[in-house]
Amino acid sequence: EAAVTQSPRNKVAVTGGKVTLSCNQTNNHNNMYWYRQDTGHGLRLIHYSYGAGSTEKGDIPDGYKASRPSQENFSLILELATPSQTSVYFCASGDGANSDYTFGSGTRLLVI
Amino acid sequence: DAKTTQPDSMESTEGETVHLPCSHATISGNEYIYWYRQVPLQGPEYVTHGLQQNTTNSMAFLAIASDRKSSTLILTHVSLRDAAVYHCILLANYGNEKITFGAGTKLTIKP
């Protein structure tokens, strides 16, 4: 079954440390996305990718980097984690209009 | 620069039919209308999508106005499991799309 899998499910990081969130999709979709969602708020787009080797800035890219080494994998990197980056992060994959976009189950990140 | 407008919240009772409205007055001819729903602590779940014709699947019926400036997601015989935030989103068929979410409509279901 096609799916989007995120790892880890939960992460505790220290301020100033490096954090890497991973996402793997078996949908063979070209497009992949990283969002964050804070309590009581909607999803906000951080970075996205059109395919292997490409990354694009979303609406709130500051403090985050992204990497798309292959069609299947899309990583979100926090080089210097800060407490303000404590959030739930969702990855998604899709293939343009007229295809369904699939979301992962989320990674809960706590930066202390 | 929200492209869709939805009510903040709606309420219904188990077993009833719910009509969730979405206004998209500036929709372009190549934009599809998508609906997703999200429950707390989970990622958004695809519900349905359409371009011009009404569509139906096991989850919902999507009614699209003839001028495409509005749509309604219709949920029949709702249960407590249908309680969620429902998002109406527009996606153009360019092949490379940036999906952005608004606040959506929080649907509460009473027993």
Side-chain angles (χ1 to χ4, degrees), chain B residues 6 10 17-22 34-37 47-49 55 57 59-64 70-76 86-88 107:
Chain B
Q6 299 177 254
M10 294 184 66
T17 296
V18 176
H19 291 73
L20 299 171
C22 182
Y34 275 74
W35 284 83
Y36 279 82
R37 70 181 186 183
V47 177
T48 189
H49 75 282
T55 63
N57 61 21
M59 295 182 71
F61 180 84
L62 176 60
I64 301 173
S70 65
S71 60
T72 303
L73 186 72
I74 301 170
L75 308 174
T76 58
Y86 286 79
H87 296 276
C88 171
L107 177 63

Side-chain angles (χ1 to χ4, degrees), chain B residues 96-110:
Chain B
N96 298 328
E97 280 306 307
K98 182 177 80 167
I99 319 170
T100 56
F101 286 79
T105 296
K106 183 177 182 179
L107 177 63
T108 301
I109 306 295
K110 297 182 294 183

Side-chain angles (χ1 to χ4, degrees), chain A residues 33 35 98-99 101 108, chain B residues 34 36 38 41 49 97 99:
Chain A
Y33 307 82
Y35 295 86
N98 209 25
S99 78
Y101 284 71
R108 286 148 189 81
Chain B
Y34 275 74
Y36 279 82
Q38 187 180 22
L41 304 181
H49 75 282
E97 280 306 307
I99 319 170

